[in-house]
Amino acid sequence: MNLSIGIVGLPNVGKSTLFNALTANSVPAENYPFCTIDPNTGVIPVNDDRLKALAQIEKSEKVVPAVVQFVDIAGLVRGASKGEGLGNKFLSHIREVDAIVQVVRRFRDDKVTHVDKKVDPKRDIETIETELIIKDTETLEKKLSQLEKQARTDKTIEEQLDLAQNLLGNLNKGKLAYEIEKPDDKDLQQFRRELFLLTDKPMIYVINEGAEKINKELYKEIRNELELEDNRELIILDAKLEVDLSQLDESEQDEMLKEFGLAERPLDRLINSSYKALGLISFFTAGEQEARAWTIRNGDNIVQAAGTIHTDFADNFIAADVVHYDDFVQYGGWQKCKEAGKIRLEGRDYIVKEGEVVIIRHNA
């Protein structure tokens, strides 16, 4: 499933450092604006302890996790919507991703210059989102001009016209399109997707701060500083520390995290949050050869899930054996789940739930 998350932010906030930590590869992160021009892409595994448990139960030879694709997009500056700082090229890269991780600098370091000469997270977020809103406003104004002409002879597009006007009105108030309720009508939903609005993508806010400061109280403090509502995803991490952690094995990572009083890697939380922001869920297959997490959209049925394993499984689908993950672990695998009556036989209209373990029956 070719969906991607764009890492977006002003120059010198730690975007490429964060990307290095995600990919454990070397990406330029020099201390000057626009060092990243063409976006770098990395396919990142989703750390999922459930998969390890399944592999242990089934004594699987191989473990294959779900993945998220991240794209490191060059620094955005004020005036990007008008072409400043190679803005048009950067905005086109944002348009191509499915969700946005907005990296915001909060750490202070005189050796690392800030494009606006002063560290101010709230201002930086406003700068980025204003540029995206300006670009979306231009997009909608052009679309409205077309729709108004068409509406004179075609009354069937009046709902599209109303939706576009509503979106534009809210953008003019400084709201992101993503904050505006989605229509129930499927055709209108499709029309909205085809507008390709930059601010209609799910947004995750990543605050780059020194690890020694990260705690629960800091989350509350930063939400208040940024006036960020509780339903907006917020991750606080130290990008440099995450790069250091990426060079260590698991036991060494745990030791270093303890030194900073962290129960888990914020980077893992970011990866999992990004996966969910794309509207994705995982289901599992588990056996002697491998335990694997498969990626589908939330709401996909079992035939669509079968197609992610192999198109022949979808074309020749008969039924599926389905077990909830908790039952699979509690009873210790397929055979014991069968003896306990925990395996369900599901037909082609069944909607797959997060974390279910399945076997596809087919005649391929």
Side-chain angles (χ1 to χ4, degrees), residues 98-254:
D98 301 282
I100 296 171
V101 166
Q102 187 177 156
V103 182
V104 182
R105 173 181 169 183
R106 195 173 185 267
F107 72 90
R108 284 164 173 77
D109 185 341
D110 293 338
K111 295 177 182 178
V112 182
T113 59
H114 191 286
V115 71
D116 287 329
K117 311 303 180 188
K118 181 183 176 184
V119 174
D120 184 339
K122 190 170 188 292
R123 179 208 56 211
D124 291 353
I125 288 174
E126 289 172 352
T127 295
I128 293 167
E129 294 185 352
T130 295
E131 295 303 322
L132 300 182
I133 286 171
I134 290 171
K135 200 65 182 176
D136 281 350
T137 299
E138 292 175 0
T139 298
L140 280 169
E141 285 174 345
K142 289 178 183 176
K143 188 64 178 178
L144 275 168
S145 178
Q146 297 171 5
L147 290 171
E148 285 166 353
K149 291 176 181 176
Q150 293 172 17
R152 294 170 190 164
T153 55
D154 185 357
K155 299 301 181 184
T156 63
I157 64 168
E158 286 184 356
E159 288 184 332
Q160 293 181 5
L161 183 60
D162 289 343
L163 177 57
Q165 289 171 335
N166 182 44
L167 287 166
L168 180 59
N170 280 283
L171 287 174
N172 287 333
K173 295 175 185 175
K175 292 185 69 174
L176 305 181
Y178 185 71
E179 299 175 87
I180 301 162
E181 188 175 354
K182 301 289 190 295
D184 294 329
D185 184 85
K186 290 185 178 180
D187 290 337
L188 283 177
Q189 290 173 13
Q190 182 62 29
F191 166 75
R192 180 164 170 167
R193 283 193 291 270
E194 289 173 357
L195 292 171
F196 299 109
L197 298 178
L198 303 175
T199 65
D200 211 7
K201 303 174 186 294
M203 185 90 71
I204 298 171
Y205 297 86
V206 171
I207 305 300
N208 191 7
E209 177 60 287
E212 69 281 358
K213 296 182 179 180
I214 300 175
N215 53 44
K216 289 182 180 179
E217 286 68 31
L218 184 63
Y219 272 87
K220 295 177 185 176
E221 182 182 332
I222 288 177
R223 281 198 182 275
N224 289 332
E225 277 181 19
L226 303 180
E227 299 178 6
L228 200 64
E229 296 176 3
D230 290 342
N231 62 349
R232 307 299 283 178
E233 189 70 25
L234 174 67
I235 310 287
I236 307 172
L237 54 74
D238 182 333
K240 284 186 178 179
L241 174 65
E242 294 294 350
V243 170
D244 292 340
L245 287 168
S246 70
Q247 309 302 317
L248 305 176
D249 63 33
E250 196 167 326
S251 62
E252 291 173 322
Q253 286 181 16
D254 290 342

